[in-house]
Structure formats: C-alpha cells, structure tokens
Coordinates of all heavy atoms in Angstrom, one line a residue:
M1 N 158.5 40.6 -26.1 CA 157.5 41.5 -25.4 C 157.9 41.6 -23.9 O 158.1 40.6 -23.3 CB 156.1 40.9 -25.6 CG 155.1 41.8 -25.0 SD 153.5 41.0 -25.1 CE 152.7 42.2 -26.2
R2 N 158.0 42.9 -23.5 CA 158.3 43.1 -22.1 C 157.1 43.0 -21.2 O 156.0 43.3 -21.5 CB 158.8 44.5 -21.9 CG 160.2 44.7 -22.5 CD 160.7 46.1 -22.5 NE 160.6 46.8 -21.2 CZ 161.0 48.0 -21.0 NH1 161.6 48.7 -22.0 NH2 160.8 48.6 -19.9
A3 N 157.3 42.4 -20.0 CA 156.3 42.3 -19.0 C 155.9 43.7 -18.5 O 156.8 44.5 -18.4 CB 156.7 41.4 -17.9
P4 N 154.6 43.9 -18.2 CA 154.2 45.2 -17.6 C 154.9 45.4 -16.3 O 155.2 44.5 -15.5 CB 152.7 45.1 -17.4 CG 152.3 43.7 -17.7 CD 153.5 43.0 -18.3
K5 N 155.3 46.7 -16.1 CA 156.0 47.0 -14.8 C 155.0 47.0 -13.7 O 153.9 47.6 -13.8 CB 156.6 48.4 -15.0 CG 157.5 48.8 -13.9 CD 158.0 50.3 -14.0 CE 159.3 50.3 -14.6 NZ 159.9 51.7 -14.7
K6 N 155.4 46.3 -12.6 CA 154.5 46.2 -11.4 C 154.8 47.4 -10.6 O 156.0 47.8 -10.3 CB 154.8 45.0 -10.6 CG 154.2 43.7 -11.3 CD 154.4 42.5 -10.4 CE 153.8 41.3 -11.1 NZ 153.9 40.2 -10.3
R7 N 153.8 48.1 -10.2 CA 153.9 49.3 -9.3 C 153.7 48.8 -7.9 O 152.6 48.3 -7.5 CB 152.9 50.3 -9.7 CG 153.0 51.6 -9.0 CD 152.1 52.6 -9.6 NE 151.9 53.6 -8.6 CZ 150.8 54.4 -8.5 NH1 149.8 54.2 -9.4 NH2 150.7 55.3 -7.6
L8 N 154.7 49.0 -7.1 CA 154.6 48.6 -5.7 C 153.9 49.8 -4.9 O 154.3 50.9 -5.0 CB 155.9 48.3 -5.0 CG 156.7 47.1 -5.6 CD1 158.0 47.0 -5.0 CD2 155.8 45.9 -5.4
R9 N 152.9 49.5 -4.2 CA 152.2 50.5 -3.5 C 152.7 50.5 -2.0 O 152.9 49.5 -1.4 CB 150.7 50.2 -3.5 CG 149.9 51.3 -2.9 CD 148.4 51.1 -3.2 NE 147.8 52.3 -2.6 CZ 146.7 52.8 -3.1 NH1 146.1 52.3 -4.1 NH2 146.2 53.8 -2.5
E10 N 152.9 51.7 -1.6 CA 153.4 51.9 -0.2 C 152.4 51.5 0.8 O 151.2 51.7 0.6 CB 153.9 53.3 0.0 CG 154.5 53.5 1.3 CD 155.1 54.9 1.5 OE1 155.3 55.6 0.5 OE2 155.3 55.3 2.6
I11 N 152.8 50.9 1.9 CA 151.8 50.5 2.9 C 151.2 51.7 3.6 O 152.0 52.6 4.0 CB 152.5 49.6 4.0 CG1 153.0 48.3 3.3 CG2 151.6 49.3 5.2 CD1 153.8 47.5 4.2
R12 N 149.9 51.8 3.6 CA 149.2 52.9 4.3 C 148.6 52.3 5.5 O 148.0 51.3 5.5 CB 148.1 53.5 3.4 CG 148.7 54.2 2.2 CD 147.6 55.0 1.5 NE 148.1 55.9 0.5 CZ 148.5 57.1 0.8 NH1 148.4 57.6 2.0 NH2 149.0 57.9 -0.1
R13 N 148.7 53.1 6.6 CA 148.1 52.7 7.9 C 146.9 53.5 8.1 O 146.9 54.7 8.0 CB 149.1 52.9 9.0 CG 150.3 51.9 8.9 CD 151.4 52.3 9.8 NE 152.6 51.5 9.8 CZ 153.2 50.9 8.9 NH1 152.8 51.0 7.7 NH2 154.3 50.2 9.1
V14 N 145.8 52.8 8.4 CA 144.5 53.4 8.6 C 144.6 54.1 10.0 O 145.0 53.5 11.0 CB 143.3 52.4 8.6 CG1 142.0 53.1 9.0 CG2 143.2 51.8 7.2
R15 N 144.3 55.4 10.0 CA 144.3 56.2 11.2 C 143.1 57.1 11.1 O 142.7 57.5 10.1 CB 145.6 57.1 11.2 CG 146.9 56.3 11.2 CD 147.2 55.7 12.6 NE 148.5 55.2 12.7 CZ 148.8 53.9 12.7 NH1 147.8 53.0 12.6 NH2 150.0 53.5 12.8
H16 N 142.6 57.4 12.2 CA 141.6 58.4 12.3 C 142.1 59.4 13.3 O 141.7 59.4 14.5 CB 140.2 57.8 12.7 CG 139.7 56.9 11.6 ND1 139.0 57.4 10.5 CD2 139.7 55.6 11.4 CE1 138.6 56.5 9.7 NE2 139.1 55.3 10.2
L17 N 142.9 60.3 12.9 CA 143.6 61.3 13.7 C 143.1 62.7 13.4 O 142.7 63.0 12.3 CB 145.1 61.3 13.4 CG 145.8 60.0 13.5 CD1 147.2 60.1 13.0 CD2 145.9 59.5 15.0
S18 N 143.0 63.5 14.4 CA 142.7 64.9 14.2 C 144.0 65.6 13.9 O 145.1 65.3 14.4 CB 142.1 65.5 15.5 OG 140.9 65.0 15.8
A19 N 143.9 66.5 12.9 CA 145.1 67.3 12.5 C 144.6 68.7 12.1 O 143.4 69.0 12.2 CB 145.8 66.7 11.4
W20 N 145.5 69.6 11.8 CA 145.1 70.9 11.4 C 145.9 71.4 10.1 O 147.1 71.2 10.0 CB 145.4 71.9 12.5 CG 144.6 71.6 13.7 CD1 143.4 72.3 14.0 CD2 144.7 70.6 14.7 NE1 142.8 71.7 15.1 CE2 143.6 70.7 15.5 CE3 145.7 69.6 14.9 CZ2 143.5 69.8 16.6 CZ3 145.5 68.8 16.0 CH2 144.4 68.9 16.8
I21 N 145.1 71.9 9.2 CA 145.7 72.5 8.0 C 146.1 74.0 8.4 O 145.3 74.7 8.9 CB 144.7 72.5 6.8 CG1 144.4 71.1 6.5 CG2 145.3 73.3 5.7 CD1 143.3 70.9 5.5
V22 N 147.4 74.3 8.3 CA 147.9 75.5 8.7 C 147.9 76.5 7.6 O 148.5 76.3 6.5 CB 149.4 75.4 9.3 CG1 150.0 76.7 9.7 CG2 149.4 74.3 10.4
F23 N 147.2 77.7 7.8 CA 147.2 78.7 6.8 C 148.0 79.9 7.3 O 148.0 80.2 8.5 CB 145.7 79.2 6.6 CG 144.9 78.2 6.0 CD1 143.9 77.5 6.7 CD2 145.0 77.9 4.6 CE1 143.1 76.5 6.1 CE2 144.2 76.9 4.0 CZ 143.2 76.3 4.8
T24 N 148.6 80.6 6.4 CA 149.3 81.8 6.8 C 148.3 83.0 6.8 O 147.6 83.2 5.8 CB 150.5 82.1 5.8 OG1 151.3 81.0 5.8 CG2 151.3 83.4 6.2
G25 N 148.3 83.7 7.9 CA 147.4 84.9 8.0 C 145.9 84.6 8.3 O 145.1 85.6 8.2
R26 N 145.5 83.4 8.5 CA 144.2 83.1 8.9 C 144.1 81.9 9.8 O 145.1 81.2 9.9 CB 143.3 83.0 7.7 CG 143.6 81.9 6.7 CD 142.6 81.9 5.6 NE 143.0 80.8 4.7 CZ 142.2 80.3 3.8 NH1 141.0 80.7 3.7 NH2 142.6 79.3 3.0
A27 N 142.9 81.6 10.3 CA 142.8 80.5 11.3 C 143.0 79.2 10.6 O 142.7 79.0 9.4 CB 141.3 80.6 11.8
N28 N 143.6 78.3 11.4 CA 143.9 76.9 10.9 C 142.5 76.2 10.7 O 141.5 76.5 11.4 CB 144.8 76.2 11.8 CG 146.1 76.8 12.0 OD1 146.5 77.6 11.1 ND2 146.8 76.5 13.0
Q29 N 142.5 75.2 9.9 CA 141.3 74.4 9.6 C 141.5 73.0 10.1 O 142.5 72.3 9.8 CB 141.0 74.4 8.1 CG 139.7 73.7 7.8 CD 139.5 73.6 6.3 OE1 139.1 72.5 5.8 NE2 139.7 74.7 5.5
A30 N 140.6 72.5 11.0 CA 140.6 71.2 11.5 C 140.4 70.2 10.3 O 139.7 70.5 9.4 CB 139.6 71.0 12.6
C31 N 141.0 69.0 10.5 CA 140.8 68.0 9.5 C 141.0 66.6 10.2 O 141.4 66.5 11.3 CB 141.7 68.1 8.3 SG 143.5 67.9 8.7
Q32 N 140.6 65.6 9.5 CA 140.8 64.2 9.9 C 141.8 63.5 9.0 O 141.6 63.7 7.7 CB 139.5 63.4 9.9 CG 138.5 63.9 10.9 CD 138.9 63.7 12.4 OE1 139.4 62.6 12.7 NE2 138.8 64.8 13.2
I33 N 142.7 62.8 9.5 CA 143.6 62.0 8.7 C 143.0 60.6 8.7 O 142.8 59.9 9.7 CB 145.0 61.9 9.3 CG1 145.6 63.3 9.5 CG2 145.9 61.0 8.5 CD1 145.8 64.1 8.3
L34 N 142.6 60.1 7.5 CA 142.0 58.8 7.4 C 143.0 57.7 7.2 O 142.8 56.6 7.7 CB 141.0 58.8 6.2 CG 139.9 59.9 6.3 CD1 139.0 59.8 5.0 CD2 139.1 59.7 7.5
D35 N 144.1 57.9 6.5 CA 145.2 57.0 6.4 C 146.5 57.7 6.1 O 146.4 58.9 5.7 CB 145.0 55.8 5.5 CG 145.0 56.2 4.0 OD1 145.7 57.1 3.6 OD2 144.3 55.5 3.2
V36 N 147.6 57.1 6.5 CA 148.9 57.8 6.3 C 150.0 56.8 6.0 O 149.9 55.7 6.4 CB 149.2 58.6 7.6 CG1 149.4 57.7 8.8 CG2 150.4 59.6 7.4
S37 N 150.9 57.3 5.2 CA 152.1 56.5 4.9 C 153.3 57.4 5.1 O 153.2 58.6 5.5 CB 152.1 56.0 3.4 OG 152.3 57.1 2.5
N38 N 154.5 56.9 4.8 CA 155.7 57.7 4.9 C 155.7 58.9 3.9 O 156.3 60.0 4.2 CB 157.0 56.9 4.7 CG 157.2 56.0 5.8 OD1 156.8 56.2 7.0 ND2 157.9 54.9 5.6
N39 N 155.0 58.7 2.8 CA 155.0 59.7 1.7 C 153.8 60.6 1.6 O 153.8 61.5 0.8 CB 155.4 59.1 0.4 CG 156.8 58.5 0.4 OD1 157.7 59.1 1.0 ND2 156.9 57.4 -0.2
G40 N 152.7 60.2 2.3 CA 151.5 61.0 2.1 C 150.4 60.6 3.0 O 150.5 59.7 3.9
A41 N 149.2 61.1 2.7 CA 148.0 60.9 3.6 C 146.7 61.1 2.8 O 146.7 61.8 1.8 CB 148.1 61.7 4.8
K42 N 145.6 60.5 3.3 CA 144.3 60.8 2.9 C 143.7 61.7 4.0 O 143.6 61.3 5.1 CB 143.5 59.6 2.7 CG 142.1 59.8 2.1 CD 141.2 58.6 2.1 CE 141.9 57.4 1.5 NZ 141.0 56.2 1.5
V43 N 143.2 62.9 3.5 CA 142.8 63.9 4.5 C 141.3 64.3 4.2 O 140.9 64.4 3.1 CB 143.7 65.2 4.4 CG1 143.3 66.3 5.3 CG2 145.2 64.8 4.5
L44 N 140.6 64.5 5.3 CA 139.2 64.9 5.2 C 139.1 66.3 5.9 O 138.9 66.3 7.1 CB 138.3 63.9 5.9 CG 136.8 64.1 5.8 CD1 136.3 64.2 4.4 CD2 136.0 63.1 6.6
P45 N 139.2 67.4 5.2 CA 139.2 68.7 5.8 C 137.7 69.1 6.0 O 136.8 68.6 5.4 CB 139.8 69.6 4.7 CG 139.7 68.9 3.4 CD 139.6 67.4 3.7
E46 N 137.5 70.1 6.9 CA 136.2 70.6 7.2 C 135.6 71.3 6.0 O 134.4 71.2 5.7 CB 136.2 71.6 8.4 CG 136.4 70.9 9.7 CD 136.4 71.9 10.9 OE1 136.5 73.1 10.7 OE2 136.2 71.4 12.0
V47 N 136.4 72.1 5.3 CA 136.0 72.9 4.1 C 136.9 72.6 3.0 O 137.9 73.3 2.8 CB 135.9 74.4 4.4 CG1 135.2 75.1 3.2 CG2 135.1 74.7 5.7
P48 N 136.7 71.5 2.2 CA 137.7 71.1 1.2 C 138.0 72.2 0.1 O 139.1 72.3 -0.4 CB 137.0 69.9 0.6 CG 136.0 69.4 1.5 CD 135.6 70.6 2.3
S49 N 137.0 73.0 -0.2 CA 137.1 74.0 -1.2 C 138.1 75.1 -0.8 O 138.6 75.8 -1.6 CB 135.8 74.6 -1.6 OG 135.2 75.2 -0.5
E50 N 138.4 75.2 0.5 CA 139.3 76.2 1.0 C 140.8 75.7 1.0 O 141.7 76.5 1.4 CB 138.9 76.7 2.3 CG 137.6 77.5 2.3 CD 137.2 78.1 3.7 OE1 138.0 77.8 4.7 OE2 136.2 78.7 3.8
V51 N 141.0 74.5 0.8 CA 142.3 73.9 0.9 C 143.1 74.2 -0.4 O 142.7 73.8 -1.5 CB 142.3 72.4 1.2 CG1 143.7 71.8 1.2 CG2 141.5 72.1 2.5
P52 N 144.2 74.9 -0.3 CA 145.1 75.2 -1.5 C 145.8 74.0 -2.0 O 145.8 73.0 -1.3 CB 146.0 76.3 -1.0 CG 146.1 76.0 0.5 CD 144.8 75.5 0.9
S53 N 146.5 74.1 -3.1 CA 147.2 73.0 -3.7 C 148.4 72.6 -2.9 O 148.9 71.5 -2.9 CB 147.6 73.2 -5.1 OG 148.4 74.4 -5.2
R54 N 149.0 73.6 -2.1 CA 150.1 73.3 -1.2 C 149.8 73.9 0.2 O 149.3 75.1 0.2 CB 151.4 73.9 -1.7 CG 152.1 73.1 -2.7 CD 153.5 73.5 -2.9 NE 154.1 72.6 -3.8 CZ 155.4 72.6 -4.1 NH1 156.2 73.5 -3.6 NH2 155.9 71.7 -4.9
F55 N 150.0 73.2 1.2 CA 149.8 73.7 2.6 C 150.6 72.9 3.6 O 151.3 71.9 3.2 CB 148.3 73.5 2.9 CG 147.8 72.1 2.9 CD1 147.8 71.3 4.1 CD2 147.3 71.6 1.7 CE1 147.4 70.0 4.0 CE2 146.8 70.3 1.7 CZ 146.9 69.5 2.9
E56 N 150.6 73.4 4.8 CA 151.3 72.7 5.9 C 150.3 72.0 6.8 O 149.2 72.5 7.0 CB 152.1 73.6 6.7 CG 153.3 74.2 5.9 CD 154.2 75.1 6.7 OE1 153.8 75.5 7.9 OE2 155.2 75.5 6.2
L57 N 150.6 70.8 7.3 CA 149.8 70.0 8.1 C 150.4 69.8 9.5 O 151.6 69.5 9.6 CB 149.6 68.6 7.4 CG 148.5 67.7 7.9 CD1 147.1 68.3 7.8 CD2 148.6 66.4 7.2
A58 N 149.7 70.1 10.5 CA 150.1 70.0 11.9 C 149.4 68.8 12.5 O 148.1 68.8 12.5 CB 149.9 71.2 12.7
F59 N 150.1 67.9 13.1 CA 149.5 66.7 13.7 C 149.1 66.9 15.2 O 148.3 66.2 15.8 CB 150.3 65.5 13.6 CG 150.4 65.0 12.2 CD1 151.4 65.4 11.3 CD2 149.4 64.2 11.7 CE1 151.5 64.9 10.0 CE2 149.4 63.7 10.4 CZ 150.5 64.1 9.5
N60 N 149.7 68.0 15.8 CA 149.4 68.3 17.2 C 149.1 69.8 17.4 O 149.8 70.6 16.7 CB 150.6 67.9 18.1 CG 150.8 66.4 18.1 OD1 149.9 65.6 18.3 ND2 152.1 66.0 17.8
V61 N 148.2 70.1 18.3 CA 147.9 71.5 18.5 C 149.2 72.2 19.1 O 149.8 71.7 19.9 CB 146.8 71.7 19.5 CG1 146.5 73.1 19.9 CG2 145.5 71.1 19.0
G62 N 149.5 73.4 18.5 CA 150.6 74.1 18.9 C 152.0 73.6 18.5 O 153.0 74.1 18.8
D63 N 152.0 72.5 17.7 CA 153.2 71.9 17.3 C 153.8 72.8 16.2 O 153.2 73.2 15.2 CB 153.0 70.5 16.7 CG 154.2 69.7 16.4 OD1 155.3 70.3 16.6 OD2 154.1 68.6 16.0
R64 N 155.1 73.2 16.4 CA 155.8 74.0 15.4 C 156.3 73.2 14.2 O 156.7 73.8 13.2 CB 156.9 74.8 16.1 CG 156.4 75.7 17.2 CD 156.3 77.1 16.6 NE 155.9 78.0 17.7 CZ 155.0 78.9 17.5 NH1 154.4 79.0 16.4 NH2 154.7 79.7 18.5
R65 N 156.4 71.9 14.4 CA 156.9 71.1 13.3 C 155.7 70.7 12.4 O 154.8 70.0 12.8 CB 157.5 69.8 13.8 CG 158.8 70.1 14.5 CD 159.4 68.9 15.1 NE 158.5 68.3 16.1 CZ 158.3 67.0 16.3 NH1 159.1 66.2 15.7 NH2 157.5 66.6 17.2
H66 N 155.6 71.2 11.2 CA 154.6 70.9 10.3 C 155.1 70.1 9.1 O 156.3 70.2 8.8 CB 154.0 72.2 9.7 CG 153.5 73.1 10.8 ND1 153.4 74.5 10.6 CD2 153.0 72.9 12.0 CE1 152.9 75.1 11.7 NE2 152.7 74.1 12.6
R67 N 154.2 69.4 8.4 CA 154.6 68.6 7.2 C 154.1 69.4 6.0 O 152.9 69.8 5.9 CB 153.9 67.2 7.2 CG 154.4 66.3 8.2 CD 155.9 65.8 8.1 NE 156.3 65.3 6.9 CZ 156.4 64.0 6.6 NH1 156.2 63.1 7.6 NH2 156.8 63.6 5.4
L68 N 155.0 69.8 5.1 CA 154.6 70.5 3.9 C 153.9 69.4 3.0 O 154.5 68.3 2.8 CB 155.8 71.1 3.2 CG 155.5 71.9 1.9 CD1 154.5 73.0 2.2 CD2 156.8 72.4 1.3
C69 N 152.7 69.8 2.5 CA 151.9 68.8 1.7 C 151.6 69.4 0.3 O 151.4 70.7 0.2 CB 150.6 68.5 2.4 SG 150.8 67.8 4.0
E70 N 151.4 68.6 -0.7 CA 150.9 69.0 -2.0 C 149.7 68.1 -2.3 O 149.8 66.8 -2.2 CB 152.0 68.8 -3.0 CG 151.5 69.3 -4.4 CD 152.7 69.3 -5.4 OE1 153.5 68.4 -5.4 OE2 152.7 70.3 -6.2
V71 N 148.6 68.6 -2.7 CA 147.4 67.9 -3.1 C 147.7 67.2 -4.4 O 148.1 67.8 -5.4 CB 146.2 68.8 -3.2 CG1 145.0 68.0 -3.7 CG2 145.9 69.5 -1.9
I72 N 147.5 65.8 -4.4 CA 147.7 65.1 -5.6 C 146.4 64.5 -6.2 O 146.3 64.2 -7.4 CB 148.7 63.9 -5.5 CG1 148.3 63.0 -4.3 CG2 150.1 64.5 -5.3 CD1 149.2 61.8 -4.2
W73 N 145.3 64.5 -5.4 CA 144.0 64.2 -5.9 C 142.9 64.8 -5.0 O 143.2 65.0 -3.8 CB 143.8 62.7 -6.2 CG 144.0 61.8 -5.0 CD1 145.2 61.1 -4.7 CD2 143.1 61.5 -3.9 NE1 145.0 60.4 -3.6 CE2 143.7 60.6 -3.1 CE3 141.8 61.9 -3.6 CZ2 143.1 60.1 -1.9 CZ3 141.2 61.4 -2.5 CH2 141.9 60.5 -1.7
R74 N 141.7 65.0 -5.5 CA 140.6 65.4 -4.8 C 139.4 64.6 -5.3 O 139.2 64.4 -6.5 CB 140.2 66.9 -5.1 CG 141.3 67.9 -4.6 CD 140.9 69.3 -4.9 NE 142.0 70.2 -4.6 CZ 142.1 71.0 -3.6 NH1 141.1 71.0 -2.7 NH2 143.1 71.8 -3.4
R75 N 138.7 64.0 -4.3 CA 137.5 63.1 -4.6 C 136.4 63.5 -3.6 O 136.5 63.1 -2.4 CB 137.9 61.6 -4.5 CG 138.8 61.2 -5.6 CD 139.0 59.7 -5.6 NE 140.1 59.4 -6.5 CZ 141.2 58.9 -6.2 NH1 141.5 58.6 -4.9 NH2 142.2 58.6 -7.1
G76 N 135.4 64.2 -4.0 CA 134.4 64.6 -3.1 C 135.0 65.5 -2.0 O 135.7 66.5 -2.3
K77 N 134.8 65.1 -0.8 CA 135.3 65.9 0.4 C 136.7 65.5 0.8 O 137.4 66.1 1.6 CB 134.4 65.7 1.6 CG 133.0 66.4 1.3 CD 132.1 66.2 2.5 CE 130.8 66.9 2.3 NZ 129.9 66.9 3.4
M78 N 137.2 64.4 0.2 CA 138.6 63.9 0.6 C 139.6 64.4 -0.4 O 139.3 64.7 -1.5 CB 138.6 62.3 0.5 CG 137.8 61.7 1.6 SD 138.0 59.9 1.6 CE 137.3 59.5 0.0
I79 N 140.8 64.6 0.2 CA 142.0 64.9 -0.6 C 143.1 64.0 -0.3 O 143.3 63.6 0.8 CB 142.4 66.4 -0.5 CG1 142.8 66.7 1.0 CG2 141.3 67.4 -0.9 CD1 143.3 68.1 1.2
G80 N 143.9 63.7 -1.3 CA 145.1 62.9 -1.1 C 146.3 63.9 -1.2 O 146.4 64.7 -2.1
V81 N 147.2 63.8 -0.3 CA 148.4 64.6 -0.3 C 149.7 63.8 -0.3 O 149.7 62.7 0.2 CB 148.4 65.6 1.0 CG1 147.2 66.5 1.0 CG2 148.5 64.8 2.3
Q82 N 150.7 64.4 -0.9 CA 152.0 63.9 -0.9 C 152.8 64.8 0.0 O 152.7 66.0 0.0 CB 152.6 64.0 -2.3 CG 154.0 63.5 -2.4 CD 154.5 63.6 -3.8 OE1 153.7 63.8 -4.8 NE2 155.8 63.5 -4.0
F83 N 153.6 64.2 0.9 CA 154.5 65.0 1.8 C 155.7 65.4 1.0 O 156.3 64.6 0.3 CB 155.0 64.2 3.0 CG 153.8 63.7 3.9 CD1 153.8 62.5 4.4 CD2 152.8 64.6 4.3 CE1 152.8 62.1 5.3 CE2 151.8 64.3 5.1 CZ 151.8 63.0 5.6
L84 N 156.1 66.7 1.1 CA 157.2 67.2 0.3 C 158.5 67.3 1.2 O 158.4 67.3 2.4 CB 156.9 68.6 -0.2 CG 155.7 68.6 -1.2 CD1 155.4 70.0 -1.6 CD2 156.0 67.7 -2.4

C-alpha cells in the first residue's frame, strides 16, 4: 500500500496591502491583499461580483507592471488568485 502523497503548501505572507484590479475600458477597482505568495494571493475586492475570472492586479498606483491573475476560488467577499 502506498503512503498518501503529502502536499506541500507554499508559504504565504500575511499582508494588508492596497492594490487595484485593472479593467480594460473602465475604472480600476480598489482591493486589499490579505496574503500573498510567489504563486498567488488572497484578495478582498470592493465589489467581488464585478471581478472576472481573469484580470490584472497592480500593486502601486500608476504602475505599468501588472500581475496577470486567474481566480481559483471565491468565498463570500474574498477571492483566491493564482499568478499566471
């Protein structure tokens, strides 16, 4: 009998950062980053229902470097994203 495969969880750092969900053709939406790792983040957007399944995240106002994100879970007002 094989032992169950252990899943190593990536270290997430608790952060309470302001960020912006970047939309094409409309105003960006402010959000809070609750925790972040190299591969993803837990995000608390102002209007979760308006967040599409893929979007860009800006960590600084006016920053042209955005992180492309894909929603991997939604729980209440929070969403979990994977960086692509």
Side-chain angles (χ1 to χ4, degrees):
M1 180 183 249
R2 286 172 49 177
K5 191 185 257 186
K6 287 187 179 181
R7 187 173 159 207
L8 295 176
R9 188 167 182 150
E10 187 173 341
I11 296 173
R12 291 190 169 273
R13 290 166 179 42
V14 174
R15 301 281 190 252
H16 292 278
L17 306 170
S18 292
W20 292 265
I21 296 171
V22 179
F23 293 107
T24 304
R26 61 180 180 161
N28 297 341
Q29 184 182 134
C31 65
Q32 295 292 312
I33 305 297
L34 303 178
D35 70 30
V36 66
S37 70
N38 289 334
N39 294 323
K42 187 188 305 179
V43 180
L44 182 62
E46 286 184 344
V47 186
S49 62
E50 291 182 2
V51 177
S53 60
R54 279 195 176 188
F55 62 90
E56 292 183 350
L57 193 60
F59 288 95
N60 297 306
V61 174
D63 190 358
R64 297 262 182 227
R65 294 177 298 148
H66 303 154
R67 295 293 306 257
L68 181 58
C69 301
E70 182 173 42
V71 175
I72 54 174
W73 57 261
R74 294 177 189 260
R75 293 187 190 114
K77 294 181 178 183
M78 290 186 296
I79 61 174
V81 300
Q82 176 180 350
F83 299 136
L84 302 175

